[in-house]
Amino acid sequence: MKKLAIFLLGALPFLTFDSVVAQDYRTGIGLRAGTTNGLTIKHYTKPKVALEGIISSRWRGLGLTGLIEGHTRAFDVNRLNFYYGAGAHIYFWGESRRGYAPYRDRDSVVGLDGILGLEYNFREIPINVSLDWKPTFNFNVPDNFWGDDAAISVRYIF
């Protein structure tokens, strides 16, 4: 419960940003490739606040991740944004897939995520490219920190 309270308090600043615009699009859908591969959808709820959902695969299991992200212009370059945020994930392995996961006695892993990244929105074409690092803290496994999740995402934006 204490960890949940800390997470919720950490997410509050993302909900109160001013109206300075950091994005050049409202919604983006695309592919994520890295330590985990999958699909990503990002949707802005406020000018500098986005929600991102990721459906991914790791060790032949299925992962679902939800994030809330704050965005701001990076290095004073138009269409280049720095983003950071927090969220949660769950990974599932069916019985036939457990042998590929490091936790052969687990059907699922649940935890919290952080994210740091840069994204660029092309002016000429409706494409967004991002590079991020998404460390995770898992609650129900012995090696509860995964710091190896880095990825490149390419999204169609509209």
PDB file of all heavy atoms in Angstrom, residues 72-78 80-82 117-118:
ATOM      1  N   THR A  72       7.994  17.664 -22.553  1.00  0.00           N
ATOM      2  CA  THR A  72       8.479  19.028 -22.684  1.00  0.00           C
ATOM      3  C   THR A  72       9.462  19.080 -23.857  1.00  0.00           C
ATOM      4  O   THR A  72      10.044  18.055 -24.225  1.00  0.00           O
ATOM      5  CB  THR A  72       9.146  19.517 -21.378  1.00  0.00           C
ATOM      6  OG1 THR A  72       9.433  20.900 -21.483  1.00  0.00           O
ATOM      7  CG2 THR A  72      10.407  18.734 -21.066  1.00  0.00           C
ATOM      8  N   ARG A  73       9.628  20.250 -24.445  1.00  0.00           N
ATOM      9  CA  ARG A  73      10.545  20.393 -25.574  1.00  0.00           C
ATOM     10  C   ARG A  73      11.964  20.102 -25.105  1.00  0.00           C
ATOM     11  O   ARG A  73      12.384  20.539 -24.039  1.00  0.00           O
ATOM     12  CB  ARG A  73      10.467  21.801 -26.150  1.00  0.00           C
ATOM     13  CG  ARG A  73      11.376  21.980 -27.355  1.00  0.00           C
ATOM     14  CD  ARG A  73      11.289  23.334 -27.941  1.00  0.00           C
ATOM     15  NE  ARG A  73       9.983  23.472 -28.567  1.00  0.00           N
ATOM     16  CZ  ARG A  73       9.535  24.601 -29.067  1.00  0.00           C
ATOM     17  NH1 ARG A  73      10.260  25.694 -29.007  1.00  0.00           N
ATOM     18  NH2 ARG A  73       8.359  24.653 -29.621  1.00  0.00           N
ATOM     19  N   ALA A  74      12.711  19.384 -25.915  1.00  0.00           N
ATOM     20  CA  ALA A  74      14.086  19.019 -25.570  1.00  0.00           C
ATOM     21  C   ALA A  74      15.078  19.882 -26.336  1.00  0.00           C
ATOM     22  O   ALA A  74      14.925  20.072 -27.551  1.00  0.00           O
ATOM     23  CB  ALA A  74      14.332  17.551 -25.886  1.00  0.00           C
ATOM     24  N   PHE A  75      16.074  20.397 -25.655  1.00  0.00           N
ATOM     25  CA  PHE A  75      17.192  21.133 -26.248  1.00  0.00           C
ATOM     26  C   PHE A  75      16.730  22.301 -27.120  1.00  0.00           C
ATOM     27  O   PHE A  75      17.417  22.674 -28.060  1.00  0.00           O
ATOM     28  CB  PHE A  75      18.092  20.196 -27.053  1.00  0.00           C
ATOM     29  CG  PHE A  75      18.488  18.965 -26.301  1.00  0.00           C
ATOM     30  CD1 PHE A  75      17.993  17.723 -26.673  1.00  0.00           C
ATOM     31  CD2 PHE A  75      19.320  19.042 -25.195  1.00  0.00           C
ATOM     32  CE1 PHE A  75      18.341  16.572 -25.977  1.00  0.00           C
ATOM     33  CE2 PHE A  75      19.671  17.896 -24.492  1.00  0.00           C
ATOM     34  CZ  PHE A  75      19.189  16.666 -24.878  1.00  0.00           C
ATOM     35  N   ASP A  76      15.552  22.841 -26.833  1.00  0.00           N
ATOM     36  CA  ASP A  76      14.978  23.967 -27.575  1.00  0.00           C
ATOM     37  C   ASP A  76      14.905  23.689 -29.080  1.00  0.00           C
ATOM     38  O   ASP A  76      15.104  24.575 -29.911  1.00  0.00           O
ATOM     39  CB  ASP A  76      15.774  25.248 -27.298  1.00  0.00           C
ATOM     40  CG  ASP A  76      14.932  26.484 -27.547  1.00  0.00           C
ATOM     41  OD1 ASP A  76      13.686  26.398 -27.429  1.00  0.00           O
ATOM     42  OD2 ASP A  76      15.513  27.542 -27.882  1.00  0.00           O
ATOM     43  N   VAL A  77      14.621  22.424 -29.440  1.00  0.00           N
ATOM     44  CA  VAL A  77      14.482  22.005 -30.836  1.00  0.00           C
ATOM     45  C   VAL A  77      13.008  21.720 -31.113  1.00  0.00           C
ATOM     46  O   VAL A  77      12.385  20.937 -30.393  1.00  0.00           O
ATOM     47  CB  VAL A  77      15.325  20.731 -31.112  1.00  0.00           C
ATOM     48  CG1 VAL A  77      15.090  20.220 -32.527  1.00  0.00           C
ATOM     49  CG2 VAL A  77      16.794  21.003 -30.861  1.00  0.00           C
ATOM     50  N   ASN A  78      12.456  22.352 -32.144  1.00  0.00           N
ATOM     51  CA  ASN A  78      11.060  22.107 -32.508  1.00  0.00           C
ATOM     52  C   ASN A  78      10.843  20.636 -32.838  1.00  0.00           C
ATOM     53  O   ASN A  78      11.669  20.013 -33.498  1.00  0.00           O
ATOM     54  CB  ASN A  78      10.658  22.954 -33.715  1.00  0.00           C
ATOM     55  CG  ASN A  78      10.461  24.399 -33.343  1.00  0.00           C
ATOM     56  OD1 ASN A  78      10.179  24.729 -32.188  1.00  0.00           O
ATOM     57  ND2 ASN A  78      10.625  25.269 -34.313  1.00  0.00           N
ATOM     58  N   LEU A  80      11.119  18.058 -31.108  1.00  0.00           N
ATOM     59  CA  LEU A  80      11.895  17.103 -30.313  1.00  0.00           C
ATOM     60  C   LEU A  80      11.459  17.251 -28.863  1.00  0.00           C
ATOM     61  O   LEU A  80      11.560  18.331 -28.284  1.00  0.00           O
ATOM     62  CB  LEU A  80      13.397  17.364 -30.441  1.00  0.00           C
ATOM     63  CG  LEU A  80      14.313  16.419 -29.647  1.00  0.00           C
ATOM     64  CD1 LEU A  80      14.198  14.985 -30.175  1.00  0.00           C
ATOM     65  CD2 LEU A  80      15.756  16.904 -29.714  1.00  0.00           C
ATOM     66  N   ASN A  81      10.938  16.173 -28.288  1.00  0.00           N
ATOM     67  CA  ASN A  81      10.408  16.205 -26.924  1.00  0.00           C
ATOM     68  C   ASN A  81      11.128  15.232 -26.016  1.00  0.00           C
ATOM     69  O   ASN A  81      11.496  14.135 -26.427  1.00  0.00           O
ATOM     70  CB  ASN A  81       8.915  15.838 -26.921  1.00  0.00           C
ATOM     71  CG  ASN A  81       8.089  16.821 -27.699  1.00  0.00           C
ATOM     72  OD1 ASN A  81       8.270  18.022 -27.597  1.00  0.00           O
ATOM     73  ND2 ASN A  81       7.186  16.308 -28.512  1.00  0.00           N
ATOM     74  N   PHE A  82      11.303  15.661 -24.786  1.00  0.00           N
ATOM     75  CA  PHE A  82      11.785  14.799 -23.714  1.00  0.00           C
ATOM     76  C   PHE A  82      10.537  14.359 -22.950  1.00  0.00           C
ATOM     77  O   PHE A  82       9.635  15.162 -22.721  1.00  0.00           O
ATOM     78  CB  PHE A  82      12.726  15.587 -22.799  1.00  0.00           C
ATOM     79  CG  PHE A  82      13.062  14.871 -21.523  1.00  0.00           C
ATOM     80  CD1 PHE A  82      13.896  13.767 -21.526  1.00  0.00           C
ATOM     81  CD2 PHE A  82      12.540  15.300 -20.316  1.00  0.00           C
ATOM     82  CE1 PHE A  82      14.208  13.102 -20.346  1.00  0.00           C
ATOM     83  CE2 PHE A  82      12.846  14.646 -19.134  1.00  0.00           C
ATOM     84  CZ  PHE A  82      13.684  13.542 -19.157  1.00  0.00           C
ATOM     85  N   GLY A 117      12.571   9.230 -22.011  1.00  0.00           N
ATOM     86  CA  GLY A 117      12.796   9.096 -23.442  1.00  0.00           C
ATOM     87  C   GLY A 117      12.842  10.406 -24.195  1.00  0.00           C
ATOM     88  O   GLY A 117      12.555  11.470 -23.653  1.00  0.00           O
ATOM     89  N   LEU A 118      13.215  10.288 -25.457  1.00  0.00           N
ATOM     90  CA  LEU A 118      13.190  11.392 -26.417  1.00  0.00           C
ATOM     91  C   LEU A 118      12.355  10.956 -27.604  1.00  0.00           C
ATOM     92  O   LEU A 118      12.433   9.796 -28.026  1.00  0.00           O
ATOM     93  CB  LEU A 118      14.600  11.717 -26.917  1.00  0.00           C
ATOM     94  CG  LEU A 118      15.509  12.486 -25.995  1.00  0.00           C
ATOM     95  CD1 LEU A 118      16.918  12.548 -26.591  1.00  0.00           C
ATOM     96  CD2 LEU A 118      14.986  13.890 -25.758  1.00  0.00           C
TER      97      LEU A 118
END
